[in-house]
Amino acid sequence: MSEKHNAPIQNQEDDNQNWYSSWFDTPYYHILYKDRNYREAQVFMDNLTHYLNLPEKAKVLDLACGKGRHSIYLNQLGYDVLGADLSENSIAEASKNSNETLHFKVHDMREPFEEKFDAIFNLFTSFGYFESDEDNLTTLKAIKESLSEYGFAVIDFMNVPNVIENLVPEEVKTVDEIDFHIKRYVEDGHIFKEIDFEDQGRKYHFTEKVKALTLKDFQDLMDEAGIFLLDIFGDYKLKKFHKTESERLIMIFK
C-alpha cells in the first residue's frame, strides 16, 4: 500500500461524488492541514475519556482516523485502540505506529465491525461526506451496531449555523511553499471548500463537500437509527452547547 504514496495524483473531477476518496488520499491534504491544533485535540481526548469514565484498557475505535495521530494519543492514555479510515495511504502511514494495543485498518464507515467497542469516536467533522441521507443513516446504524452493551459513541461535528455565519469566502494559505487558494460557500444544503494550487508545474483542484447537518438533522437521523442522544457539548473543553455561538457540535450517544 505504501508504494501508492508516490503514484501520480489525479486531479479530482468536479462531478466526482466520492471527493473524499481522492482528496484524503493525496499528500497535499496532510500538507494543508498539518498546522491543526493537536494540543487542543489532546485536551479534547483527555476531557472526553474522563467524561465517559472509560475503563482501563477499554476498546476504542477511532473512526475516520486519518494518519492516526489521535489514535496514537488515545493508545498512550492506556486504551486498546483501532484506527479505521477509507484512505489506504493514511492507514499505511498510521500503521507504522502499530503495537500490541494499537492497530489500523482500511474500512468504510458505513460497514459495522464484527468486534464491539467500549467507545467509538468520529472526530473533527469526519461525517456528512456522503451524497445521500441514507448513507449517513447507514453510518449511524453501523456505529450503533459496533458498540458494546455499555459502550458510548461520540460525533464531533462543526456547528453549522456558526460556521455559515463566520464563513471566510476566499483566502490564500501558504504551507511548505505551496499557495492554497481556498473558496468557501454554501449550496444545496452543503458547505463547499474549493481548493486550487500548483506544485512542481502541475495545477490541482479539489473540492471538499460536507452536508450542513444541524443538531435537528442529527436528532432526526438518530431517532430513525434507534440511537439515544445522551449529551451535547459546544467545544473541546466540553462547555454547554449554544445553537449559534458554539464552534462545535459534540454529541454523546449510545
Side-chain angles (χ1 to χ4, degrees), residues 28-93:
Y28 296 109
Y29 170 79
H30 298 287
I31 291 170
L32 176 59
Y33 293 118
K34 72 185 224 175
D35 292 331
R36 280 178 167 167
N37 189 334
Y38 286 105
R39 180 64 204 129
E40 182 183 57
Q42 289 178 350
V43 168
F44 181 35
M45 296 300 95
D46 291 340
N47 291 334
L48 206 49
T49 52
H50 180 74
Y51 169 83
L52 294 174
N53 195 24
L54 291 179
E56 195 177 344
K57 298 180 181 176
K59 290 187 69 173
V60 176
L61 171 62
D62 182 10
L63 193 59
C65 68
K67 286 189 176 182
R69 193 182 290 249
H70 308 110
S71 301
I72 294 164
Y73 185 68
L74 286 164
N75 183 241
Q76 290 169 352
L77 292 177
Y79 303 115
D80 185 343
V81 181
L82 174 64
D85 200 281
L86 195 62
S87 166
E88 292 187 10
N89 287 335
S90 293
I91 290 299
E93 190 67 29

Side-chain angles (χ1 to χ4, degrees), residues 20-228:
Y20 44 85
S21 60
S22 55
W23 174 222
F24 290 168
D25 232 11
T26 76
Y28 296 109
Y29 170 79
H30 298 287
I31 291 170
L32 176 59
Y33 293 118
K34 72 185 224 175
D35 292 331
R36 280 178 167 167
N37 189 334
Y38 286 105
R39 180 64 204 129
E40 182 183 57
Q42 289 178 350
V43 168
F44 181 35
M45 296 300 95
D46 291 340
N47 291 334
L48 206 49
T49 52
H50 180 74
Y51 169 83
L52 294 174
N53 195 24
L54 291 179
E56 195 177 344
K57 298 180 181 176
K59 290 187 69 173
V60 176
L61 171 62
D62 182 10
L63 193 59
C65 68
K67 286 189 176 182
R69 193 182 290 249
H70 308 110
S71 301
I72 294 164
Y73 185 68
L74 286 164
N75 183 241
Q76 290 169 352
L77 292 177
Y79 303 115
D80 185 343
V81 181
L82 174 64
D85 200 281
L86 195 62
S87 166
E88 292 187 10
N89 287 335
S90 293
I91 290 299
E93 190 67 29
S95 294
K96 296 174 183 177
N97 301 285
S98 298
N99 60 47
E100 284 185 10
T101 55
L102 176 62
H103 302 92
F104 295 94
K105 71 180 293 185
V106 176
H107 184 86
D108 187 319
M109 64 169 68
R110 289 168 288 192
E111 299 291 329
F113 286 80
E114 286 185 20
E115 55 194 302
K116 305 296 182 191
F117 298 90
D118 300 305
I120 297 176
F121 295 156
N122 178 250
L123 306 171
F124 305 101
T125 310
S126 300
F127 194 93
Y129 298 156
F130 304 116
E131 280 300 306
S132 73
D133 287 334
E134 197 60 40
D135 279 337
N136 290 325
L137 180 62
T138 299
T139 301
L140 283 176
K141 287 179 177 177
I143 290 172
K144 181 190 176 190
E145 287 178 39
S146 304
L147 282 172
S148 65
E149 186 181 354
Y150 300 106
F152 296 96
V154 180
I155 290 179
D156 160 37
F157 200 69
M158 60 184 165
N159 183 27
V160 165
N162 180 271
V163 168
I164 291 174
E165 178 70 25
N166 296 288
L167 208 64
V168 178
E170 292 190 32
E171 70 172 317
V172 179
K173 187 175 180 185
T174 304
V175 189
D176 290 357
E177 300 182 357
I178 298 173
D179 295 330
F180 292 92
H181 296 262
I182 299 169
K183 292 182 180 179
R184 300 178 181 87
Y185 55 94
V186 182
E187 190 176 281
D188 296 333
H190 291 77
I191 295 173
F192 286 82
K193 186 188 287 185
E194 304 271 0
I195 303 160
D196 289 278
F197 57 95
E198 192 172 327
D199 186 40
Q200 297 178 358
R202 277 191 71 180
K203 290 184 177 181
Y204 295 87
H205 173 82
F206 290 97
T207 304
E208 293 183 13
K209 177 183 178 183
V210 181
K211 192 165 178 64
L213 294 164
T214 63
L215 175 57
K216 174 70 164 60
D217 294 325
F218 273 106
Q219 287 172 325
D220 290 345
L221 283 167
M222 288 179 178
D223 284 346
E224 200 171 340
I227 283 169
F228 184 56

